[in-house]
Amino acid sequence: MEKSYDKISLKTAAARILGEVKEFKTASLLTPVFMILEVICEMIIPLLMSVIIDKGVSAGNLNAIYETGLFMIITAVCGLAAGMLGGKMGAKAAAGLAKNLRAAMFRRIQRYSFENIDKYSTAGLVTRLTTDVTNVQNAYMMLLRMFMRAPSSIIVAMIMAFVISPKLASIYLIAVIVLSAFMGMIMMRATRYFTATFEKYDALNESVQENVNAIRVVKAFVREDYEKDKFKKATENIYRMFIKAEKTVVLNMPVMMAAVYSCILLISWLGAHMIVVEELTTGQLMSLLAYCMNILMSLMMVAMVVVMVSMSQASAKRITEVIDEEPVLKQKENPEKNVADGRVAFEHVDFMYAGQSGAPVLNDINIEIKAGETIGIIGGTGSSKSTLVNLISRLYDASKGAVKVGGIDVRDYEIHSLRDAVAVVLQKNELFSGSILDNLRWGNENATEEECRKACEIACADEFISRMPDGYNTHIEQGGNNVSGGQKQRLCIARALLKKPKILILDDSTSAVDTATDLKIRTGFSEELPDMTKIIIAQRISSVQSADRIIVMDNGRIDGFDTHENLLKNNTIYRDVYESQNSGNGDFDEKGGE
Ligand SMILES: Nc1ncnc2c1ncn2[C@@H]1O[C@H](COP(=O)(O)OP(=O)(O)OP(=O)(O)O)[C@@H](O)[C@H]1O
Ligand SMILES: [Mg+2]
C-alpha cells in the first residue's frame, strides 16, 4: 500500500532529522574522532606484538619485552579510554537527537488545525513519537560510532597487512570482496523484513490505544475476545516478521566465521612456508592474524550499520512528515486582535472536509445572528450542525464564501483572539487530569476562585461540586472518568464561560443534563450574560424553544430559521419533531429527522 510518507525523499528526511541535532553537534562530531583514536590504538597493538616476538622472544632480549610491553599497555589503556568516551558521546548525541525530534514533533502537533489532525490517527502519531524516534536514535548512534570506525579500521588494517606482506594481505582483499557480496545480499533481505515489521507497529499501537482508551465500552459490549484476537494478530504479525528478519541476519555469523577461519588457515599455512624460507618472521605472522580478525569484524559492523540505517529510513520519513505538515489554518499578517461584538454572519458558505467527495457537507449557508441573540440549532444526526458551528471559531475554514464574526471575516483575526472570543463546548468534550479548579482554569488561567465559582453557578455545576469531599480541589481523573456525563458537560460549560466569550457555542452540551437543570442553565445565561451571543445545538426542542430564533438544519442546508412559533406554523420538519417529542417523549431522529 502506498504510504503518505513515501512521497518524502530520503534527502529531505535526512536533512530534517540532522537539522534537529542542534546543541548536540559537538558530541556528534567528537564521537567519530574518539572512535578513530580507538582504531589507531587497536592497530598499533598487533605491531607491538610482532616487535615483542621478533626482538624480544626470538632474540632472548628481556629488556625489549619490558619496554615494548609497557608501551603496549599504555596504548591499550588509551584505546580503551577513547572507546569509552566515543561510546558515551555517541549515546549522548543520539539521545539528544531523540529529545529534539520529539520536541519538534510535539510543538508542530500543537499547531495543527482540525484538518491536519483528521489526517493522522492518534495511534499513528504515538508510534511516530515513540517507536520511530527510538529507531532513528539507535541508527544515529550506530552511525556515529561505526561509520568512521569500521571503514577506517578496515583500511588501516589492510595497509598494515600490505606493509608486512603484500602476498599474504591479498588473501584479505579477496575475502573482503567475497564476504561483502554475501553480506550485502543477506542484509538487503533482512532490511526488507525489518521495514515491514515497523509498519506493522501502527496496527499494534492502534489496537492498544483504541482498546485501552475505550476499555469501558469494550467491556460493556463484551468485546474482550474480539479485541484480544485483534491484538494477538497484531503482535503475532510483528513476531513473525521479526523472526524472518532475524533468521536472515543470523546467517551472517556462520558466513563470517567461515571466512575468518579460512583466512587464518590459509595465512598460517602460507605464512609457515614463508617463515621457513625466512621471507616472514613469526611476529609478523602473529600480527597478520590479528589484522585478519579486525578486518572481518569491522566488515560485519558495516553490515549492521547499513541494516540499522536502512531500517530507520521509513521512521525518519514518518517523523519528517509530522514535522513538515503545514498547519492548514494560516494567520494573515497584521491580523485583527479585537473582536468587536458577538455578531455572526455566514455569506454563501459551502464546506467540504478534506478528501471528501460528493456533495458538500454545508451547502450555500446564509445567516445573520445579532450580538446577544440566543440561537437554537436543531437537525437530524449528520445534518452538519457541528460542522456549521465549527466554522465560527475557525476550527475549519469555509471552502467557499465567508464566515464573519463581529463584522470581520474570521480569517482576518488572530486565531488566538478569535478563539478567546468564541468559546465552544465541543460535542466530544474532554476534561484533563488535575483538580476541578485546574480544569476550569483551562478557560482562563488567571481566573480567581470567585470567578470560577460564579461560572460554575451559571453552569449549575456548583451544586454537585459542593457535595464532593474536596469541593473545588477534587481530583479529576484522566478524561474525567470519575464524574458523570452530565457533570462533565456542566464543568465543560463552566470552563468555556470563564473565557468571558462574546459568543458561546454549546454543541449538544446539555444532552446528559436533566431537563430542569437544562432550563436553569439557560435561564442563568439570559439573566447573567445578556450581551453574550449564545448558539445552542440540541436534540430536544425543549432546549431551544425559548431561544430568540431557531435554525432547522437538514442535510447540510438550512431548512428554516425563525422563532419557535413561526417555525411551528411554517416548517414541517420542526412541527413533526415537536409533535413527536411532545406526544411520546420521542427524540429528534425518531420522526421528521430525514
Ligand atoms: N472530521 C470529519 N472528516 C470527514 N467527514 C466528517 C468529519 N466530521 C463530520 N463529517 C461528516 O460531515 C457530516 C456532518 O457531520 P456533523 O458532525 O456536522 O453532523 P451533526 O449534525 O453534528 O451530527 P450529530 O447530531 O450526530 O452531532 C457527516 O456526514 C459526517 O460524516
Ligand atoms: Mg454534531
Side-chain angles (χ1 to χ4, degrees):
M1 201 173 66
E2 169 85 357
K3 301 273 184 329
S4 55
Y5 52 85
D6 283 341
K7 286 199 284 288
I8 296 167
S9 78
L10 203 55
K11 215 171 117 195
T12 322
R16 183 66 69 250
I17 302 278
L18 291 180
E20 294 298 331
V21 174
K22 290 180 184 161
E23 72 265 36
F24 298 97
K25 267 200 195 97
T26 325
S28 300
L29 290 177
L30 280 180
T31 312
V33 172
F34 281 122
M35 294 328 271
I36 289 177
L37 267 176
E38 193 195 10
V39 169
I40 294 173
C41 294
E42 253 177 32
M43 292 301 142
I44 293 176
I45 290 173
L47 215 60
L48 295 176
M49 186 78 163
S50 82
V51 173
I52 288 184
I53 292 174
D54 293 341
K55 301 253 164 73
V57 181
S58 306
N61 181 351
L62 209 59
N63 262 353
I65 296 184
Y66 284 144
E67 261 168 39
T68 325
L70 185 71
F71 199 44
M72 205 161 150
I73 290 175
I74 295 171
T75 319
V77 169
C78 285
L80 204 68
M84 267 164 57
L85 279 172
K88 192 179 151 202
M89 287 292 162
K92 183 175 160 190
L97 172 69
K99 178 193 87 149
N100 285 350
L101 281 176
R102 292 206 172 99
M105 278 204 270
F106 196 76
R107 245 182 289 130
R108 185 48 70 117
I109 293 171
Q110 298 306 312
R111 283 182 58 203
Y112 279 7
S113 66
F114 276 42
E115 189 177 330
N116 296 116
I117 296 167
D118 286 344
K119 194 174 141 186
Y120 299 95
S121 66
T122 315
L125 285 178
V126 172
T127 318
R128 288 168 208 238
L129 275 160
T130 52
T131 320
D132 284 326
V133 172
T134 310
N135 266 345
V136 170
Q137 175 184 349
N138 288 340
Y140 187 61
M141 186 161 76
M142 276 297 266
L143 200 66
L144 284 184
R145 286 167 62 172
M146 293 301 159
F147 91 111
M148 291 294 272
R149 188 194 194 285
S152 54
S153 170
I154 294 178
I155 293 169
V156 176
M158 197 76 97
I159 293 173
M160 298 282 219
F162 266 98
V163 169
I164 295 173
S165 162
K167 208 158 110 194
L168 290 183
S170 40
I171 296 176
Y172 297 150
L173 205 59
I174 296 168
V176 165
I177 292 169
V178 173
L179 211 55
S180 303
F182 258 110
M183 283 189 176
M185 259 156 37
I186 292 173
M187 289 309 178
M188 245 153 68
R189 260 177 77 118
T191 306
R192 246 202 345 264
Y193 291 137
F194 275 128
T195 312
T197 312
F198 285 109
E199 277 169 13
K200 297 260 186 301
Y201 267 111
D202 259 357
L204 178 71
N205 279 358
E206 200 163 302
S207 167
V208 171
Q209 236 232 309
E210 260 186 9
N211 180 295
V212 177
N213 245 347
I215 187 74
R216 287 157 211 270
V217 185
V218 172
K219 292 206 170 287
F221 281 81
V222 206
R223 295 278 280 183
E224 289 102 326
D225 285 340
Y226 171 81
E227 287 291 325
K228 265 193 239 160
D229 225 42
K230 204 166 100 186
F231 183 78
K232 202 170 143 209
K233 268 193 203 128
T235 42
E236 274 186 356
N237 254 330
I238 292 180
Y239 159 77
R240 264 196 297 276
M241 280 304 204
F242 249 123
I243 294 288
K244 261 192 188 162
E246 292 294 349
K247 257 191 199 156
T248 324
V249 175
V250 292
L251 282 181
N252 265 337
M253 209 56 194
V255 170
M256 170 82 199
M257 281 305 157
V260 170
Y261 289 121
S262 319
C263 282
I264 289 179
L265 271 176
L266 246 136
I267 290 168
S268 306
W269 186 61
L270 288 176
H273 279 280
M274 287 167 74
I275 291 174
V276 172
V277 293
E278 296 201 340
E279 264 180 50
L280 195 75
T281 64
T282 324
Q284 284 174 329
L285 181 64
M286 290 283 290
S287 27
L288 276 178
L289 290 176
Y291 288 134
C292 168
M293 210 59 183
N294 233 313
I295 291 174
L296 297 180
M297 280 296 171
S298 299
L299 199 63
M300 182 114 135
M301 286 296 172
V302 172
M304 296 239 309
V305 174
V306 171
V307 169
M308 284 199 82
V309 171
S310 43
M311 240 161 63
S312 68
Q313 270 176 30
S315 291
K317 286 184 186 176
R318 285 154 54 90
I319 293 171
T320 305
E321 190 185 24
V322 174
I323 299 181
D324 279 358
E325 175 89 34
E326 269 305 311
V328 175
L329 295 186
K330 287 267 179 298
Q331 193 167 292
K332 88 174 211 186
E333 272 180 55
N334 303 321
E336 178 63 45
K337 289 207 173 96
N338 185 33
V339 178
D341 55 34
R343 267 178 301 155
V344 177
F346 279 64
E347 293 171 0
H348 299 288
V349 170
D350 280 4
F351 180 77
M352 279 177 112
Y353 283 102
Q356 181 205 340
S357 53
V361 180
L362 283 177
N363 208 328
D364 196 28
I365 304 289
N366 286 292
I367 40 178
E368 241 178 82
I369 298 170
K370 293 194 270 296
E373 252 189 317
T374 300
I375 300 292
I377 302 181
I378 210 149
T381 305
S383 59
S384 303
K385 305 180 293 293
S386 299
T387 310
L388 180 82
V389 296
N390 284 346
L391 299 188
I392 303 176
S393 58
R394 210 182 166 208
L395 296 175
Y396 292 94
D397 267 340
S399 314
K400 226 193 259 170
V403 178
K404 292 184 174 172
V405 167
I408 298 177
D409 195 316
V410 287
R411 285 167 288 209
D412 295 342
Y413 283 111
E414 188 194 49
I415 295 179
H416 208 87
S417 319
L418 176 71
R419 300 232 171 111
D420 270 343
V422 184
V424 196
V425 179
L426 292 173
Q427 193 166 15
K428 271 192 254 165
N429 51 39
E430 277 293 343
L431 292 175
F432 296 84
S433 51
S435 72
I436 289 186
L437 273 181
D438 291 341
N439 267 285
L440 290 171
R441 285 187 179 134
W442 270 70
N444 171 7
E445 53 188 327
N446 301 318
T448 61
E449 201 165 328
E450 199 40 52
E451 287 172 309
C452 292
R453 276 175 208 280
K454 184 75 201 155
C456 286
E457 251 170 56
I458 301 176
C460 290
D462 56 333
E463 48 97 8
F464 76 84
I465 297 174
S466 61
R467 272 189 282 114
M468 288 182 155
D470 296 327
Y472 281 82
N473 293 315
T474 305
H475 186 79
I476 302 279
E477 303 290 335
Q478 189 196 1
N481 282 336
N482 57 341
V483 287
S484 79
Q487 290 172 339
K488 189 168 156 184
Q489 287 188 330
R490 282 178 275 170
L491 282 176
C492 290
I493 295 175
R495 178 172 71 183
L497 284 176
L498 275 172
K499 280 185 155 189
K500 302 213 169 75
K502 299 221 161 67
I503 301 171
L504 176 70
I505 299 170
L506 303 185
D507 189 349
D508 221 359
S509 309
T510 51
S511 56
V513 175
D514 61 277
T515 329
T517 312
D518 188 13
L519 178 67
K520 228 167 109 189
I521 296 175
R522 275 180 286 119
T523 319
F525 283 169
S526 49
E527 282 172 5
E528 306 277 343
L529 305 157
D531 300 330
M532 185 177 71
T533 309
K534 291 148 282 245
I535 300 177
I536 302 171
I537 299 180
Q539 300 288 343
R540 293 190 293 243
I541 295 239
S542 65
S543 303
V544 293
Q545 73 181 58
S546 62
D548 297 320
R549 286 185 293 165
I550 300 155
I551 297 174
V552 181
M553 290 292 295
D554 183 36
N555 217 351
R557 288 174 186 278
I558 292 188
D559 192 68
F561 185 19
D562 215 331
T563 59
H564 171 69
E565 288 72 27
N566 289 345
L567 284 173
L568 270 188
K569 264 184 262 159
N570 309 325
N571 190 289
T572 3
I573 296 181
Y574 192 80
R575 193 169 46 237
D576 284 350
V577 179
Y578 181 74
E579 280 165 7
S580 81
Q581 288 191 353
N582 266 5
S583 59
N585 286 333
D587 96 353
F588 192 88
D589 287 309
E590 281 175 22
K591 246 188 212 172
E594 305 309 310

